[in-house]
Amino acid sequence: MPGTSRVPVSLRDLSSVKKAAARRNPTLIFNLDLLRNIVFLWFFLRYFRKSVRQLRGRGILGSAIAFYRFIQRTAYGIFLNAPGIRGRVQTQVDEALRKLEDKLVPKGPGVTRHTALPSDGMTPEAIRAELTTLSEMHHAEWEKGQVSGAVYHGGKEVLDLQAEAYRMFAVSNPLHPDVFPGVRKMEAEVVAMVLAMFNAPQGAAGITTSGGTESILMACLSARTKAYNERGVTEPEIIVPVTVHAAFDKAGHYFGITVHHVAIDPITLKVDLRAVARLINYNTILLVGSAPNFPHGIIDDIAGLSKLALRKQIPLHVDACLGSFLLPFLSRAGHPAPPFDFRVKGVTSISCDTHKYGFAPKGNSVLMFRTTALRAAGYFVTATWPGGVYASPSLSGSRAGAIIAGTWTALMQQGEAGYLSATREIVGAARNIERGIRERLHPDLYILGEPLVSVVAFSSKTLNIYDVADEMSAKGWHLNALQSPPAIHIACTRPTVGAEEKFLADLEAAVQGVKLKGGEGKAASGDTAALYGVAGSLPNKSVINSMAVGFIDTLYKV
């Protein structure tokens, strides 16, 4: 009606209150508005900078593709959780896990299960009999060289010596160096020997860890601490090739580090240096290269990464866990060896698994740093604990001194001559397999890149490579299935030496078997083919993640 306001009474009252407050204290409204604008501006700048970094690092096309894949994953995830679909998917997952449990967990009337402590301790004879039964359970025949990697066996002599060393130091713990001085000495000597192998400069340092994963975690943690202490970085990022070990993703998950995965060159399969350079920004705390990587056995361009690291003043980590005790002896064994160690100036840390081609017992790796300061950045120290001052160099507190003793034993028993001989044999076996595939199985199979160390990866343009993997599995071979792209690899070890011809003959038969079954271009049907065929086709990996969680759960079923 004429003369009436359209504003509700409650809002008219609120407006009056606001105006009255402004008359009483005009700075109050100004301060609230200013605070609101500051908060808005902070959020705007924060996400604007992230958007700029995204566009600069990935480009407009790359960012658009990433956004499309995000939408695709999200939409597929919603579809999988839709009523009627979720139940069917879960039923299939449960069925797959049931088959897995039947395969892994022994069942039947003749199986003895120990789910509680025996009322009285078993006799030594009974324990030995039980251990013998457990050791004789059906397993892949690694002794015949039919297992890819997994078992890095240095021979009976070193194994016997390690067993003696383990017994001598079975109760030792390097957390107490005053109680076990011999373990402290051996650990320091192991680190010193590995540093020398990788041409570490004066002032370099290192630690031992439980394996490659912990070495990688500690390298990332040290880089994160260094960046925070020196530059105040609170949103750390690392740049890695897509082929780098998954432990770097674990480090990102554990330590709140954003992990940028960079594509590899489609021909060389080495990390794309230009893509790395575009992603570097203020928050970048670490660049990473592999020597070699696990999937394809390719050594990244460490010298190229070093130039970037030096120019941007960013640490560079070389993951040599797999190359370990082969890389330092490659050139002396007559094989080409690109630069990879501390002679490359930009390299600030290197991880090396002694428990691979160093033939140490499982559970030992060495992480090397160019400086003691970078090593100390990974230490944990607290002086306020009621239990006393506590300090540790890695993630673990107590550690097995017996494993350190076994590692020291392997290094001393093999010596330079032993590792040089092992390098000639193992890398020679890998080259024999590579040459055999190129000459005898072309065009059905092709080699991925130019492998230089112990891993040979191969795929096919005409066959479903996972069907080939299943055929090889039926022949007793335990190989590694790869994805993106689909492929198989074999990591040669000491037992592989001498088994090259059997491998090639079985591979030829496997290829012919797939052809006879009509596997050219057709859907795969075996266990490996089913898993990786599904994994590669799903834009959302939640189903595969569920199966992986179920797999780990199955490992703990009695």
Side-chain angles (χ1 to χ4, degrees):
M1 295 177 62
T4 61
S5 171
R6 294 181 180 272
V7 180
V9 173
S10 58
L11 292 184
R12 274 185 280 158
D13 292 343
L14 181 62
S15 177
S16 301
V17 171
K18 185 177 180 181
K19 289 177 181 178
R23 285 195 298 271
R24 288 195 302 271
N25 188 359
T27 60
L28 175 62
I29 299 301
F30 172 77
N31 290 338
L32 289 174
D33 288 342
L34 178 62
L35 180 62
R36 181 187 62 191
N37 291 336
I38 290 173
V39 171
F40 170 78
L41 184 62
W42 183 83
F43 274 100
F44 175 78
L45 290 176
R46 175 183 172 87
Y47 288 99
F48 177 75
R49 288 175 62 190
K50 285 189 174 183
S51 300
V52 169
R53 288 198 296 266
Q54 168 71 24
L55 289 171
R56 180 180 178 276
R58 300 292 184 182
I60 296 176
L61 180 60
S63 299
I65 292 173
F67 181 71
Y68 168 76
R69 288 175 177 167
F70 169 77
I71 295 298
Q72 188 182 37
R73 287 195 304 270
T74 304
Y76 200 81
I78 294 172
F79 168 75
L80 290 176
N81 284 287
I85 301 297
R86 181 171 56 188
R88 291 169 60 186
V89 170
Q90 190 58 50
T91 299
Q92 294 180 4
V93 169
D94 291 342
E95 177 62 19
L97 292 176
R98 186 190 62 75
K99 291 180 179 179
L100 182 67
E101 182 177 338
D102 291 341
K103 184 177 181 180
L104 292 178
V105 183
K107 295 179 180 179
V111 176
T112 302
R113 295 179 178 83
H114 303 283
T115 58
L117 287 171
S119 56
D120 295 310
M122 295 173 66
T123 64
E125 293 76 15
I127 292 174
R128 290 190 187 98
E130 186 78 8
L131 288 172
T132 300
T133 300
L134 291 169
S135 69
E136 293 174 349
M137 289 178 67
H138 178 71
H139 61 276
E141 297 183 292
W142 63 265
E143 300 91 343
K144 297 180 180 179
Q146 293 189 244
V147 174
S148 172
V151 180
Y152 298 87
H153 190 36
K156 183 179 185 303
E157 185 178 355
V158 67
L159 194 62
D160 289 343
L161 281 171
Q162 286 170 331
E164 292 182 37
Y166 197 99
R167 183 179 182 86
M168 289 181 186
F169 293 91
V171 300
S172 63
N173 183 354
L175 188 64
H176 305 286
D178 53 337
V179 181
F180 305 105
V183 171
R184 187 218 64 79
K185 182 176 183 292
M186 285 187 290
E187 183 172 27
E189 290 176 352
V190 166
V191 170
M193 285 186 274
V194 177
L195 282 167
M197 281 171 45
F198 283 81
N199 296 288
Q202 190 70 26
I207 61 173
T208 68
T209 69
S210 63
T213 291
E214 188 182 359
S215 288
I216 288 168
L217 291 177
M218 291 307 302
C220 294
L221 181 62
S222 296
R224 189 189 75 165
T225 303
K226 171 182 166 65
Y228 178 78
N229 291 341
E230 295 180 1
R231 297 189 283 122
V233 174
T234 57
E235 297 180 345
E237 302 176 5
I238 62 176
I239 303 173
V240 305
V242 292
T243 50
V244 83
H245 196 279
F248 288 95
D249 292 292
K250 181 181 279 191
H253 177 70
Y254 283 176
F255 302 142
I257 301 172
T258 298
V259 182
H260 292 291
H261 297 90
V262 175
I264 53 177
D265 183 278
I267 305 299
T268 66
L269 303 186
K270 298 180 180 182
V271 65
D272 185 338
L273 295 179
R274 288 181 297 179
V276 172
R278 287 195 300 269
L279 282 165
I280 294 174
N281 61 61
Y282 178 80
N283 289 325
T284 304
I285 64 168
L286 187 67
L287 305 182
V288 178
S290 302
N293 63 47
F294 173 81
H296 312 136
I298 303 298
I299 300 175
D300 284 315
D301 185 355
I302 304 302
L305 287 169
S306 171
K307 291 177 182 178
L308 283 175
L310 290 170
R311 187 164 71 243
K312 299 294 185 177
Q313 297 185 323
I314 299 170
L316 168 61
H317 180 77
V318 175
D319 176 20
C321 289
L322 181 56
S324 62
F325 280 55
L326 299 179
L327 278 176
F329 298 96
L330 264 185
S331 58
R332 290 168 59 184
H335 299 284
F340 63 88
D341 59 17
F342 284 112
R343 288 173 292 184
V344 182
K345 291 184 178 180
V347 173
T348 54
S349 58
I350 302 175
S351 49
C352 167
D353 279 2
T354 46
H355 68 198
K356 286 192 173 74
Y357 296 105
F359 309 133
K362 276 297 181 184
N364 191 270
S365 176
V366 173
L367 174 60
M368 298 164 273
F369 298 96
R370 185 174 285 273
T371 66
T372 54
L374 187 55
R375 176 177 67 175
Y379 291 173
F380 175 78
V381 179
T382 177
T384 59
W385 181 41
V389 177
Y390 180 92
S392 66
S394 59
L395 297 179
S396 301
S398 292
R399 293 177 291 139
I403 291 178
I404 292 172
T407 301
W408 183 90
T409 298
L411 270 60
M412 298 302 289
Q413 190 269 349
Q414 290 288 308
E416 287 194 2
Y419 289 121
L420 179 58
S421 175
T423 300
R424 287 197 181 103
E425 293 176 359
I426 294 168
V427 178
R431 298 292 73 78
N432 290 339
I433 288 174
E434 177 193 356
R435 186 164 50 251
I437 293 174
R438 291 187 191 276
E439 295 175 356
R440 294 162 55 175
L441 286 149
H442 179 79
D444 293 312
L445 302 180
Y446 67 93
I447 300 292
L448 275 67
E450 296 289 338
L452 298 179
V453 198
S454 58
V455 172
V456 181
F458 52 95
S459 188
S460 176
K461 295 179 181 178
T462 59
L463 305 174
N464 188 311
I465 196 65
Y466 299 137
D467 274 339
V468 176
D470 285 323
E471 287 285 324
M472 290 295 283
S473 179
K475 296 179 184 299
W477 290 92
H478 192 281
L479 306 179
N480 295 96
L482 313 173
Q483 56 184 346
S484 304
I488 313 169
H489 90 207
I490 180 170
C492 297
T493 60
R494 261 265 173 82
T496 312
V497 177
E500 303 100 293
E501 181 55 38
K502 176 172 174 51
F503 174 82
L504 290 168
D506 285 349
L507 188 57
E508 286 177 314
V511 167
Q512 291 304 315
V514 172
K515 286 183 175 181
L516 290 174
K517 292 178 181 179
E520 299 187 48
K522 291 192 176 183
S525 56
D527 290 344
T528 304
L531 175 60
Y532 283 93
V534 171
S537 65
L538 295 178
N540 185 300
K541 308 296 184 184
S542 59
V543 174
I544 305 302
N545 292 344
S546 296
M547 292 181 66
V549 170
F551 167 75
I552 296 174
D553 289 342
T554 301
L555 299 181
Y556 293 94
K557 289 187 176 181
V558 180

